[in-house]
């Protein structure tokens, strides 16, 4: 679906154009590494969801790219690799705008590339970069979530009713850790259309043996009366303490504040951004408008398209 | 207070320790601290005092190679901490007294020696003329003890019931209370009745001050009243009066009594904290905690 109507309020944001991403690899034939091309399509299709998952997938694809890279005779790895990485990144951005956490990872990677010890030969330099990427994933993402899970689990007491929204990797980890500690608590997963992400989390928690129930956002007020705490994941944490998360999180947080329920947000430090957003619209991602409405009759279709 | 006594005990543990390595000394200190925490009934100030003492004392341990030198450094830091803590009350009295003006009516509850010290200092050394209204807090009725000490010093005192705090707030200019522990977000854990007084203060738009020593800063983050039950020593049940059996014995249920001893006052109700580290806003407490613990 190409862009058919630009909504004035969101005109400054990158518009949703799916067909463009699918044709992109063909356009850049030869320039985009196959691993990166696959990843881009997966992003466009929505096959990979979640801030952590997307970031790990991106870094893994870059590892493949770096492994296959060969420094030309007249250039140095420090500078050339970064130049060659740029179109890969641009392609991924075109498929789906990168998140703040992925932006941080990219900045880190570029800094690492620039700092590769110049005396290393190609093979050693690439091995160094790959091991650095492994370290980043392992420390900043995987181990960070474990640390958060431990800390989060310690805040969950017996008898707690924990409300969460959509699917967050960290929240799942926290619940699992709390279960491992033997805490008796109930989880209520709130969910919203069009993606109904929360179902993933709900299914996983059921498998993990948690006492978990599920509700849509319309049941927010009802659920909040019984809640003892709200635990949510996040996409990014801004300098002023504001949290960027899945659309709907602010609603849950406001409702909790109104019911005197504490709101706990799990956020790995690699998601911290040195910026401030004054509202939700100045920087955001637009999804597929067709997800919102299924129109069957042709007339309806015409009206919807305007 | 119990925390100072605990600190002095830990200092002696160092002095008399037969350990020959820093690790050995630390293990001894940890064992002593754990034992102290287990046996105390006073509250969390012993735990926080011990924790802070050990952090403060072992911070420089890595700089010297010789154990004896290290031990001397640790000992001198320990003595500094002990002296600083002993002088904390006097410092708080100095910093807090300027907030009491002539003609003020001060509302308080419980019996905090820090608060007592502050009020006495303001009255006797700074010659302020103010009145104190003391809420006689149950259980224990310590408010009465505080009132007696104030009257002996010549300060006009009125004792009221805890339930009359909201009414008394009309006349009052400020509230000043002590605390057992200060938590990470600047909130405090103190004698039951403090939270109530704080809420009434906010509703009446009067300032609510806490006077507390810095060795009571703890690395805890309670989210609500339930989270401090661990500190509460369990809500104590009073025995039901045997002469009046519970009316519903027929249905097999008994009347339940609950007597909490402590409550948690969130930071949004606290105007300022008078501590020996300075007069702090609740948000400054976490900064100070970071400095203390690292």
């Amino acid at each position: 679906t190409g862009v058919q109507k630009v909504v004035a309020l969101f005109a400054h944001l990158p518009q949703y154009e799916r067909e463009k991403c699918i044709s992109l690899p063909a356009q850049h034939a030869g320039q985009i590494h196959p691993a990166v091309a696959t990843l881009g399509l997966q992003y466009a299709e929505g096959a990979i969801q979640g801030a952590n998952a997307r970031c790990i997938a991106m870094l893994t694809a870059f590892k493949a790219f770096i492994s296959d890279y060969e420094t030309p005779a007249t250039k140095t790895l420090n500078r050339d690799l970064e130049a060659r990485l740029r179109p890969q990144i641009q392609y991924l951005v075109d498929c789906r705008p990168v998140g703040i956490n992925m932006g941080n990872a990219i900045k880190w990677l570029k800094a690492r590339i620039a700092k590769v010890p110049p005396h290393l030969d190609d093979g050693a330099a690439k091995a160094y970069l790959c091991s650095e990427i492994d370290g980043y994933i392992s420390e900043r993402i995987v181990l960070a979530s474990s640390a958060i899970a431990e800390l989060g689990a310690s805040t969950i007491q017996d008898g707690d009713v924990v409300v969460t929204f959509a699917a967050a990797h960290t929240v799942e980890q926290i619940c699992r850790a709390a279960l491992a500690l033997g805490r008796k608590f109930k989880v209520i997963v709130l969910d919203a259309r069009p993606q109904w992400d929360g179902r993933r989390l709900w299914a996983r928690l059921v498998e993990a043996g948690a006492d978990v129930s599920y509700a849509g956002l319309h049941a927010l007020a009802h659920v909040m009366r019984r809640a003892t705490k709200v635990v949510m994941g996040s996409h990014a944490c801004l300098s002023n303490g504001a949290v960027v998360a899945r659309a709907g999180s602010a609603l849950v947080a406001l409702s909790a504040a109104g019911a005197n329920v504490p709101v706990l947000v799990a956020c790995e430090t690699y998601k911290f951004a040195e910026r401030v957003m004054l509202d939700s619209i100045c920087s955001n991602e637009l999804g597929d408008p067709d997800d919102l409405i299924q129109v069957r009759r042709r007339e309806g279709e015409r009206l919807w398209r305007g | 207070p119990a925390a100072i006594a605990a600190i002095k005990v830990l200092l002696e543990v160092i002095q008399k320790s037969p350990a020959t390595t820093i690790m050995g000394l630390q293990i001894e200190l940890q064992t002593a601290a754990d034992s102290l925490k287990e046996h105390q009934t006073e509250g969390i100030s012993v735990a926080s005092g011990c924790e802070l003492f050990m952090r403060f004392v072992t911070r420089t341990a890595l700089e010297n190679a010789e154990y004896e030198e290290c031990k001397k450094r640790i000992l001198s830091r320990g003595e500094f901490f002990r002296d600083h803590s002993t002088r904390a009350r006097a410092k708080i009295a100095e910093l807090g007294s300027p907030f009491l003006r002539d003609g003020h009516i001060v509302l308080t509850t419980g019996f905090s020696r820090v608060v007592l010290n502050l009020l006495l200092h303001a009255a006797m050394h700074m010659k302020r003329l103010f009145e104190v209204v003391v809420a006689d807090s149950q259980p224990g009725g310590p408010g009465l003890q505080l009132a007696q000490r104030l009257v002996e010093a010549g300060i006009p005192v009125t004792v009221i019931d805890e339930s009359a705090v909201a009414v008394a707030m009309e006349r009052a200019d400020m509230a000043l209370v002590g605390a057992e522990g200060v938590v990470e977000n600047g909130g405090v854990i103190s004698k039951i009745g403090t939270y109530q007084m704080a809420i009434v203060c906010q509703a009446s738009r009067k300032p609510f001050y806490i006077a507390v020593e810095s060795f009571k800063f703890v690395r805890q983050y309670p989210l609500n009243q339930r989270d401090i039950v661990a500190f509460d020593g369990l809500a104590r049940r009073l025995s039901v009066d045997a002469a009046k059996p519970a009316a519903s014995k027929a249905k097999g249920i008994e009347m339940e009594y609950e007597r909490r001893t402590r409550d948690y006052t969130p930071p949004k109700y606290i105007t300022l904290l008078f501590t020996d580290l300075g007069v702090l806003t609740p948000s400054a407490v976490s900064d100070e905690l970071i400095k203390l613990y690292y």
Side-chain angles (χ1 to χ4, degrees):
Chain A
T1 28
V3 178
Q4 268 149 354
K5 177 176 174 158
V6 177
V7 176
L9 194 58
F10 305 131
H12 62 287
L13 298 172
Q15 299 297 308
Y16 181 82
E17 288 167 1
R18 197 173 122 189
E19 273 152 11
K20 187 170 157 220
C21 336
I22 295 173
S23 62
L24 272 175
Q27 289 174 20
H28 298 271
Q31 259 204 338
I32 306 295
H33 187 277
V36 178
T38 317
L39 185 62
L41 287 172
Q42 284 175 324
Y43 280 167
E45 294 283 318
I48 303 182
Q49 294 281 358
N52 286 351
R54 284 170 65 195
C55 192
I56 293 176
M58 178 187 79
L59 288 173
T60 311
F62 286 165
K63 258 175 57 183
F65 170 74
I66 289 172
S67 305
D68 291 341
Y69 165 83
E70 272 164 26
T71 323
T74 49
K75 306 217 170 118
T76 55
L77 183 135
N78 297 47
R79 300 206 194 116
D80 190 57
L81 179 54
E82 205 210 301
R84 303 267 226 98
L85 194 58
R86 247 177 267 141
Q88 316 296 318
I89 297 171
Q90 189 53 51
Y91 166 73
L92 287 179
V93 169
D94 288 339
C95 288
R96 185 175 169 186
V98 288
I100 293 174
N101 60 324
M102 291 161 73
N104 285 349
I106 290 170
K107 262 190 233 143
W108 169 85
L109 182 59
K110 287 188 179 170
R112 266 292 167 276
I113 293 173
K115 286 213 182 89
V116 168
H119 61 270
L120 288 178
D121 72 341
D122 242 20
K126 293 190 311 191
Y128 166 76
L129 282 171
C130 286
S131 95
E132 286 287 294
I133 291 175
D134 281 335
Y136 188 87
I137 293 175
S138 156
E139 284 165 35
R140 306 300 300 272
I141 307 178
V142 176
L143 285 175
S145 323
S146 308
I148 288 172
E150 217 183 284
L151 199 58
S154 69
T155 65
I156 296 182
Q157 316 286 355
D158 284 342
D160 259 345
V161 176
V162 178
V163 169
T164 185
F165 176 69
H169 170 71
T170 37
V171 173
E172 186 192 330
Q173 302 287 79
I174 289 172
C175 291
R176 283 181 190 274
L179 285 170
L181 286 175
R183 298 285 154 91
K184 306 272 176 290
F185 64 103
K186 188 178 157 78
V187 185
I188 303 178
V189 178
L190 290 174
D191 209 1
R193 60 187 291 259
Q195 265 129 6
W196 302 112
D197 277 343
R199 290 175 186 176
R200 276 186 294 138
L201 177 62
W202 176 43
R204 292 223 183 99
L205 288 179
V206 167
E207 275 170 32
D211 175 6
V212 51
S213 62
Y214 176 91
L217 269 190
H218 59 273
L220 191 53
H222 174 75
V223 160
M224 212 44 85
R225 285 191 340 140
R226 303 267 171 270
T228 56
K229 38 180 72 91
V230 172
V231 180
M232 294 197 288
S234 60
H235 176 89
C237 187
L238 307 176
S239 307
N240 60 353
V243 169
V244 177
R246 162 75 68 192
S249 308
L251 198 56
V252 175
L254 281 168
S255 181
N260 272 343
V261 175
V263 177
L264 308 175
V265 173
C267 186
E268 297 90 332
T269 57
Y270 87 101
K271 291 175 180 168
F272 284 14
E274 275 189 21
R275 55 198 272 208
V276 171
M277 281 176 16
L278 297 177
D279 57 41
S280 307
I281 310 173
C282 60
S283 163
N284 212 321
E285 184 189 335
L286 291 176
D288 187 353
D290 282 338
D291 281 347
L292 285 177
I293 190 161
Q294 245 86 56
V295 188
R296 272 166 266 225
R297 285 171 33 225
R298 191 173 303 175
E299 263 165 60
E301 175 92 20
R302 198 171 30 86
L303 286 167
W304 169 240
R305 300 253 170 258
Chain B
I4 305 272
I7 290 167
K8 289 186 175 161
V9 164
L10 289 181
L11 200 52
E12 273 203 49
V13 167
I14 302 178
Q15 280 165 341
K16 300 200 173 122
S17 162
T20 48
T21 58
I22 295 294
M23 272 309 287
L25 183 61
Q26 275 184 317
I27 292 170
E28 275 200 38
L29 272 176
Q30 189 63 54
T31 324
D34 289 339
S35 166
L36 283 166
K37 285 181 221 177
E38 234 183 84
H39 292 102
Q40 56 84 25
T41 49
E42 271 282 302
I44 52 180
S45 56
V46 169
S48 62
C50 289
E51 187 69 41
L52 280 167
F53 177 83
M54 301 215 314
R55 284 276 178 176
F56 189 79
V57 140
T58 55
R59 240 208 246 156
T60 58
L62 304 165
E63 286 169 16
N64 290 62
E66 283 291 316
Y67 176 69
E68 282 308 317
E69 274 301 308
C70 267
K71 191 165 168 183
K72 277 203 202 114
R73 294 279 302 270
I74 289 175
L75 215 48
S76 83
R77 283 179 79 83
E79 281 159 8
F80 173 83
F81 191 84
R82 174 200 61 196
D83 295 337
H84 180 89
S85 304
T86 326
R87 279 198 298 267
R89 283 202 190 143
K91 189 104 192 279
I92 292 170
E94 264 176 56
L95 289 168
S97 302
F99 288 81
L100 292 159
R101 307 277 164 78
D102 287 338
H104 264 189
I105 297 178
V106 182
L107 202 50
T108 186
T109 180
F111 181 15
S112 162
R113 285 175 217 100
V114 185
V115 168
L116 174 64
N117 216 21
L118 205 164
L119 293 171
L120 291 177
H121 185 268
M124 305 203 300
H125 294 156
M126 299 184 68
K127 309 277 189 237
R128 304 281 169 144
L129 302 166
F130 56 89
E131 254 184 72
V132 182
V133 175
V134 181
D136 185 16
S137 46
Q138 299 296 336
L144 210 50
Q145 291 177 47
L146 174 67
Q148 279 164 354
R149 298 281 291 272
L150 290 171
V151 152
E152 280 162 22
I155 301 172
V157 174
T158 312
V159 178
I160 59 170
D161 288 322
E162 196 83 47
S163 32
V165 162
V167 167
M169 193 61 73
E170 224 174 61
R171 283 202 307 132
D173 292 294
M174 62 191 285
L176 173 65
V177 192
E180 285 190 32
V182 180
V183 294
E184 276 194 53
N185 58 3
V188 294
I189 297 173
S190 31
K191 189 87 176 27
I192 191 95
T194 308
Y195 181 30
Q196 252 157 233
M197 189 175 273
I199 294 174
V200 174
C201 268
Q202 199 192 55
S204 320
R205 282 179 268 273
K206 305 274 163 82
F208 182 75
Y209 301 123
I210 306 267
V212 64
E213 305 98 313
S214 67
F215 60 75
K216 289 180 177 164
F217 285 16
V218 280
R219 297 215 66 199
Q220 305 278 355
Y221 202 122
L223 293 170
N224 46 33
Q225 302 304 322
R226 218 159 52 113
D227 286 346
I228 63 156
V229 166
F231 300 124
D232 206 8
L234 299 169
R236 281 173 294 149
R237 280 176 169 214
L238 289 185
S239 54
V240 180
D241 195 325
K244 298 178 213 145
S248 52
K249 271 241 169 78
K251 291 211 177 140
I253 56 171
E254 262 185 23
M255 196 156 59
E256 295 262 343
Y257 276 90
E258 189 184 271
R259 273 244 166 118
R260 304 279 305 255
T261 52
R262 290 178 185 85
D263 60 30
Y264 160 64
T265 306
K268 65 176 181 173
Y269 297 104
I270 301 171
T271 316
L272 289 171
L273 293 112
F274 304 145
T275 75
D276 46 289
L277 298 172
V279 175
L280 307 172
T281 56
S283 35
V285 166
S286 59
D287 280 341
E288 292 299 323
L289 266 174
I290 291 174
K291 283 191 220 157
L292 281 174
Y293 275 93
Y294 294 100

